[in-house]
Amino acid sequence: MKTFKSLIFLFILSSVIFSCNKDKNDNAHVEYVNSQIYDMMKQVYLWNDYIPYNLDPADYSTPAKFMEALRYKQYDHWSTVLTEEEYNSYFTEGQMIGHGFMVGLDADNNFRIAFVYNNTQAQQEGVRRGWILSKVNNKTVTVDNFSTLFGADKVGVTNNFTFIDNGGQQVTLSLAKEEINLTPVLHSEVINRSGKKIGYIVFQDFIETANQELDTAFTTFKNAGIDELVVDMRYNGGGAVTVAEHLAGWLIGKNEGGQPFIYYEHNAILSKAPYSMDTMYTVPAKADGLDMSRIFFIGTSNTASASELIINGVKPFITTVLAGSPTHGKPVGMYAIPIEDYFTLPVCFKYSNKNHEGNFYNGLTPDLPADDDITKDWGNPEETSLKAILDYIDNGTAKSTKSTGFGPRILESHKPLGQFLRAI
């Protein structure tokens, strides 16, 4: 039985040997990569017993399409294949090319800005969450044309936007696509409410560049002496578990360092002794971490994977209160396995918390059901999900809490990283 690291090494070695003899753009290369994906999935895929064994790798024009055909349809909506460039740009470098904002439909079918990355041209020109996007290049935005309006993802591609700001005023801006260094912490502040200091942080991306921003925000909260904490991950689709561990250190590492945090369980091959990859991760000890009696989270159906891991993982140690709507339901994780000029991301393990609670394929259920009010900017005390938490802090109940079952329909540009990166 080979270790996982040796499996990766063999895949890399075979790819290097093959590359000496084949053009990476020809059909033979794609067929070879597909065949390597097939062999890899039979060994490491969590549901390898359900892989179709009658597929011909030559029948699929791209590795991504072949991976989609291999998925176990009952549970797996996530396994994917990225080019090496796509993978490194997002997960390693924390970059994208675009305008740097995400769009969603509100209850009245207005196209609203759901968030804007900091330090982008759009953010510097004043674009904020809640703004209505009405036209792009003088074309009225519709569901049918949305994905076609913005042009190629190349630096310098310019679009003319017509917005309606949060005060009802029309704003016209010409914005050029740029290389954006993602800012995973979209917003943080200390809210003063009823004599309490409430730390509020909006966290978007579990990528390696996030740790420094998390450190800055939580150090501010620590120095301010916050009484309550709200972690808003309503659009966070997950990412690196190492970042989730880092965040857990801030949340519970002061008192629970060294305790079991997350368990990984693999398929029968990778769980087999003596080289079992089944793993228990502990809470990182952090002497200067926060010391909270409870933590509030905000989630939606777009809250997935590492975001759910945090909420579920913290639960055994501290009172957690989840506001919003049921989360996405991804109690499984992926490894990034390089094959030639691609990174495959198959689901390889399921995870559970200290109490072995997992398998939440229907999502984590909110304690305070509330709509995602995309019409209001971050930190607005009247935004429905945040208001539910603030009312609960004030009164011990959430009288204003409601859930109409509506959540803004987040519009994506159908990029390969759509499950992680939803900005255009």
Side-chain angles (χ1 to χ4, degrees):
M1 175 63 188
K2 303 178 182 67
T3 67
F4 187 73
K5 289 184 179 179
S6 66
L7 281 172
I8 291 179
F9 175 78
L10 288 176
F11 283 126
I12 295 173
L13 179 61
S14 63
S15 296
V16 170
I17 293 172
F18 184 85
S19 295
C20 295
N21 302 302
K22 294 293 183 180
D23 181 349
K24 289 186 176 183
N25 295 317
D26 67 18
N27 292 335
H29 175 67
V30 172
E31 181 181 348
Y32 175 77
V33 171
N34 288 350
S35 68
Q36 291 292 291
I37 291 174
Y38 214 172
D39 292 341
M40 175 269 296
M41 291 286 279
K42 292 171 185 177
Q43 296 182 71
V44 307
Y45 189 49
L46 179 62
W47 299 289
N48 59 344
D49 290 341
Y50 295 90
I51 292 175
Y53 276 73
N54 58 348
L55 300 183
D56 185 349
D59 290 341
Y60 297 87
S61 60
T62 67
K65 290 181 179 178
F66 186 55
M67 178 67 84
E68 186 174 353
L70 292 173
R71 289 178 184 167
Y72 179 37
K73 299 301 188 292
Q74 181 174 349
Y75 291 120
D76 187 5
H77 313 291
W78 311 288
S79 294
T80 191
V81 179
L82 303 175
T83 66
E84 185 176 19
E85 182 182 9
E86 289 165 342
Y87 178 86
N88 288 332
S89 177
Y90 178 72
F91 289 103
T92 304
E93 300 165 9
Q95 294 180 331
M96 66 166 286
I97 293 176
H99 294 298
F101 55 78
M102 188 176 80
V103 178
L105 281 172
D106 68 16
D108 297 318
N109 289 322
N110 294 308
F111 290 78
R112 297 269 184 175
I113 304 301
F115 73 76
V116 189
Y117 279 112
N118 296 319
N119 304 319
T120 58
Q121 184 185 6
Q123 192 262 349
Q124 290 169 350
E125 291 289 343
V127 180
R128 295 293 182 268
R129 171 178 163 86
W131 281 29
I132 294 174
L133 172 60
S134 60
K135 292 183 179 181
V136 178
N137 299 322
N138 292 319
K139 292 182 180 179
T140 300
V141 184
T142 69
V143 172
D144 292 333
N145 71 12
F146 176 81
S147 63
T148 68
L149 293 176
F150 304 98
D153 289 333
K154 295 181 179 179
V155 173
V157 171
T158 300
N159 291 300
N160 297 310
F161 295 93
T162 303
F163 298 101
I164 307 298
D165 69 16
N166 290 333
Q169 299 298 308
Q170 180 174 299
V171 179
T172 301
L173 295 173
S174 179
L175 302 174
K177 292 192 176 185
E178 55 190 324
E179 187 173 79
I180 295 169
N181 293 315
L182 303 182
T183 51
V185 175
L186 298 178
H187 179 83
S188 65
E189 66 174 302
V190 176
I191 299 171
N192 292 292
R193 173 95 168 196
S194 302
K196 290 187 175 182
K197 296 179 180 179
I198 303 167
Y200 174 61
I201 181 171
V202 182
F203 185 48
Q204 178 59 29
D205 301 285
F206 282 87
I207 56 178
E208 295 301 332
T209 56
N211 287 350
Q212 184 175 350
E213 292 188 26
L214 290 171
D215 290 347
T216 298
F218 281 101
T219 298
T220 298
F221 293 160
K222 178 82 173 179
N223 292 339
I226 61 170
D227 304 294
E228 304 278 6
L229 175 65
V230 180
V231 181
D232 190 338
M233 298 188 291
R234 70 183 74 194
Y235 306 129
N236 192 320
V241 174
T242 53
V243 179
E245 291 182 89
H246 187 81
L247 176 55
W250 274 108
L251 299 181
I252 56 175
K254 181 178 179 65
N255 299 314
E256 306 297 344
Q259 292 293 311
F261 180 49
I262 295 295
Y263 292 94
Y264 281 10
E265 296 178 71
H266 301 77
N267 65 28
I269 295 174
L270 297 187
S271 295
K272 187 177 180 180
Y275 300 109
S276 174
M277 287 189 60
D278 291 353
T279 306
M280 185 267 288
Y281 291 91
T282 60
V283 178
K286 189 167 182 60
D288 60 345
L290 299 180
D291 186 8
M292 312 304 298
S293 61
R294 63 183 175 185
I295 298 174
F296 294 88
F297 294 96
I298 297 177
T300 67
S301 62
N302 295 295
T303 304
S305 196
S307 301
E308 295 172 300
L309 182 150
I310 279 288
I311 299 168
N312 190 56
V314 168
K315 189 187 304 181
F317 300 103
I318 192 172
T319 298
T320 64
V321 181
L322 175 62
S325 54
T327 60
H328 183 73
K330 188 188 175 195
V332 294
M334 304 140 90
Y335 291 129
I337 302 175
I339 298 179
E340 289 269 309
D341 46 339
Y342 295 91
F343 271 88
T344 62
L345 283 83
V347 170
C348 293
F349 59 89
K350 59 182 179 179
Y351 64 83
S352 57
N353 64 17
K354 177 185 177 182
N355 296 337
H356 297 283
E357 297 165 326
N359 293 320
F360 45 85
Y361 289 100
N362 293 322
L364 300 170
T365 302
D367 306 288
L368 304 176
D371 293 340
D372 173 13
D373 186 356
I374 199 174
T375 69
K376 295 181 177 61
D377 200 0
W378 303 125
N380 187 322
E382 295 302 313
E383 190 280 315
T384 309
S385 293
L386 181 58
K387 180 174 173 57
I389 292 174
L390 296 178
D391 286 351
Y392 188 87
I393 291 173
D394 287 346
N395 309 312
T397 61
K399 294 180 181 179
S400 64
T401 299
K402 65 176 183 177
S403 179
T404 64
F406 170 78
R409 178 183 170 190
I410 300 304
L411 299 172
E412 302 171 13
S413 55
H414 306 290
K415 298 175 184 177
L417 279 165
Q419 69 185 68
F420 302 106
L421 179 62
R422 299 185 174 91
I424 61 173

